[in-house]
Every structure is written in structure tokens, then in C-alpha cells.
Amino acid sequence: MRVTEHLSNRKRSLISFEILPPLKGKNISALYRTIDKLLEFEPPFINVTYHRAEYKFKQRENGMFEKVYIRKRPGTVGICAAIKYKYGIDTVPHLVCGGFSRMETEDALMDLNYLGIDNVLLLRGDAMHNERNFVRHEKGHGNACDLVKQTVELNKGVYLEDELSDAVETNFCIGVAGYPEKHFESPSMEVDLAYLKHKVDCGADYIVTQMFYDNKHYFSFVKRCREEGIEVPIIPGIRPITSLKNLYVLPGIFHIAFPNELVAAMQACKTPEEEKMIGIDWTIKQAQELIDFGAPCLHFYTYGSMKVIPSIVRELVSKPYSV
Ligand code: FAD
């Protein structure tokens, strides 16, 4: 089922999870164990991230350096199919522009269509670790909006090869990313919102936000989106923090800020256990407020916080919900 159908059919705020494929060489069983712990919450869909290949220079025996591409977490499409058919849960594979030609994107979308997966979250992806700025594949897309356009075309049966006749129309429900605290490359919130509106106008069906720790960012983001004419559902992204260290690491990676109240509470902790409890309490309060606001779904980023997520979600679902 398409994500937007799940959202329309909901009787309360839904709860979904985002997981990462295993590291290359690892077995899928650890991932299944993670999902087993989430089953009690009956997630309507599970997102699976995509990880582009990075390159590094390896020195060979002759002293020369060779550029070697390494993808640490391959398998997004396969993992999505495995979860869908093992658990009967809809999956949302992430697809990125970075490292993909338009033809490879089309092939990936066709694979998903054959597998009966009709949801995608379409992203540009970040620059490679050793690149300063994002560089598009020479035959690929430079922004997520172009990936959206390509997928919308496929939904109409228009493939890259224009000689096909009676080509199958796909039925992808398209999610895109939004940034309540602004995308870090954008010169202003206004510009970022204009590009977000463009992504939606190109055919995105809903938005999932970057994580944030102060709900005022989400509330004002939703308000500004609506003022700009962005009408699609906006799903807030939540990532529980579990330690003081998180407060120093996450801003550098995700370009977000922590509210002072949370920083002060974490700094006052005497033990790692206390830090964890502050993180759990903060997330429960934050999530409850989002539910009370009427958020269509809470998108939990599980990476690094899987140990605390079940207790947080259990607390949330034990309370009476309003839509
Ligand atoms: P875009 O929408 O292309 O925007 C990128 C920047 O370009 C913004 O500053 C925007 O304002 C600007 N812009 C947009 N359109 C245009 C245009 N037409 N012309 C000029 N400028 C434009 N990354 C991964 O690698 N794998 C994942 O699985 C993944 N999952 C994610 C899930 C979520 C929910 C979120 C919020 C992010 C995720 N990311 C993932 C990170 C994402 O790839 C990065 O944040 C990336 O820097 C931007 O991606 P985007 O799709 O928002 O890009």
C-alpha cells in the first residue's frame, strides 16, 4: 500500500521506523532481530536508507595509488523486498541522485516495481566524504526534484528509451525530505522552502523532515509550508538521543541545534544512565506533543538509538491518541 493511503486511513498518528541496511559482509539476521523488536508497534511501513559508494585511494605493491570505490551498506532494494515478504510490512526504499545515472535509476525503479514495492523516498544525497560539494553523476541528477520528475514520468509509462510502446505505468508514491531548520547549503529558509515547493509541484506526495529537538521548528515549518501552498502531509523525523556526546556529534552531521533546556539537563547528569533517561523523557514529551498537534505519522530514526526506541514508543502507544 502507498504511504499516502496509510496516512489517509489512519485513526491516529502513525509510527514508522527508518533502518539502515547491514554493513557489507554482515548477515541480515541482525536486522531481522531489530525488526522483531518493532513488530509490537505494527508499523505501517519501514524506511530503508540508501548509502552511496565512497572512494578511497589504496596503495598497491608497486607504490602506485588506485582509486577504489566502496559501498559499505549495499542492498537497500533487496532488504526492502525481504522485509515486505517476510513480515508483510510495506517498505520505503530511499533512492539518491548521487552516484546514479538516470538509466541506473530507471533500472532500480523497475526492480522495485517488479517486487511490488510502490513507495520511494527520493533524495539528492550528500557529497562524498572526500568532496567539498555534491557532484552529480555525469548522466545523473543534481537535485532531488529531477529524481521526482523521472519517477513521475515512469508513473505515466514514460521511460528513458522513447521507442517503447505500451510501456507499463508504475505507481510510486513519492516522499521527499524537508528541513525545519533549513538545509545547510541553502542561503535562507525562504529559498529552501521555494525549492521544497518545487519538489512537491514536480510530484512529491509527502515530506519527511530532518530530525529536530525543539518542536517549535516543526510547527513553524508546517505553518510556513502551508503559507507557501505546500499542502502534502509533513511527517516529523525523530531521533532519540541517548548521551551527552550526541549533543556534540549530531549538529556537525545533520546541521541541527539542540534547545538549551535539553543541553543543560544533559550536562547536569552524573552518569550515562541518567543521560539516557533524560534523552528518553525528552523524546517522549516531544513525540507526545507532535501527536497532540496532529502529526500524520512519527518517523523514528533508529540508527544509534534502537536500544531506547521500544520503551519510548511503548509509552506513546499506551496513551489515548487523537488524530
Ligand atoms: P535537494 O532537495 O536536492 O536539496 C538540496 C539543496 O539544494 C538544498 O539546499 C535545496 O534548497 C537546494 N535545491 C533543491 N532543489 C534545487 C534546484 N532545483 N536548484 C538549485 N538548488 C536546489 N541521504 C542519503 O545519502 N541516503 C539516505 O537514505 C538519506 N535519507 C534521508 C532521509 C530523510 C528523511 C532526510 C531528511 C535526509 C536523508 N538523507 C539521506 C540526507 C539527504 O540526502 C541530504 O540532506 C542532502 O544533502 C539533501 O538531500 P535532498 O533530497 O533534500 O536534496
Side-chain angles (χ1 to χ4, degrees), residues 206-225:
Y206 67 99
I207 295 165
V208 185
T209 77
Q210 182 59 280
M211 65 192 74
F212 54 87
Y213 291 87
D214 188 334
N215 284 345
K216 76 170 191 243
H217 294 305
Y218 174 76
F219 299 148
S220 117
F221 180 68
V222 173
K223 184 167 177 282
R224 293 187 71 175
C225 283

Side-chain angles (χ1 to χ4, degrees), residues 31-56:
L31 190 72
Y32 286 153
R33 283 198 292 278
T34 298
I35 295 170
D36 288 343
K37 289 185 196 133
L38 301 174
L39 291 181
E40 65 175 285
F41 309 119
E42 298 177 5
F45 49 89
I46 291 178
N47 282 59
V48 182
T49 56
Y50 188 87
H51 299 261
R52 66 177 301 176
E54 300 280 342
Y55 69 80
K56 62 178 184 186

Side-chain angles (χ1 to χ4, degrees), residues 18 47-52 76 93-97 121-127 134 142-146 149 176-179 182-188 191-193 195-196 198-199 207-211 237 254 299 301:
E18 176 184 297
N47 282 59
V48 182
T49 56
Y50 188 87
H51 299 261
R52 66 177 301 176
T76 301
H94 295 189
L95 292 186
V96 298
C97 304
L121 188 74
L122 301 180
L123 304 139
R124 186 197 68 181
D126 283 319
F134 176 83
N143 281 107
C145 57
D146 296 319
K149 283 186 209 157
V176 290
Y179 302 84
K182 186 182 86 58
H183 185 262
F184 70 104
E185 293 169 23
S186 223
S188 69
V191 171
D192 210 26
L193 283 174
Y195 282 129
L196 180 59
H198 179 58
K199 273 197 287 199
I207 295 165
V208 185
T209 77
Q210 182 59 280
M211 65 192 74
F254 298 107
H299 173 103
Y301 294 100

Side-chain angles (χ1 to χ4, degrees), residues 265-281:
M266 273 286 188
Q267 284 174 334
C269 292
K270 304 226 164 17
T271 64
E273 190 55 27
E274 276 181 38
E275 292 175 10
K276 193 171 88 183
M277 291 317 295
I278 292 288
I280 291 175
D281 284 351

Side-chain angles (χ1 to χ4, degrees), residues 3-4 6 32 49 53 55 120 136 161 314 322:
V3 164
T4 45
H6 283 293
Y32 286 153
T49 56
Y55 69 80
V120 277
R136 74 167 75 195
E161 208 174 309
R314 213 166 285 135
S322 58

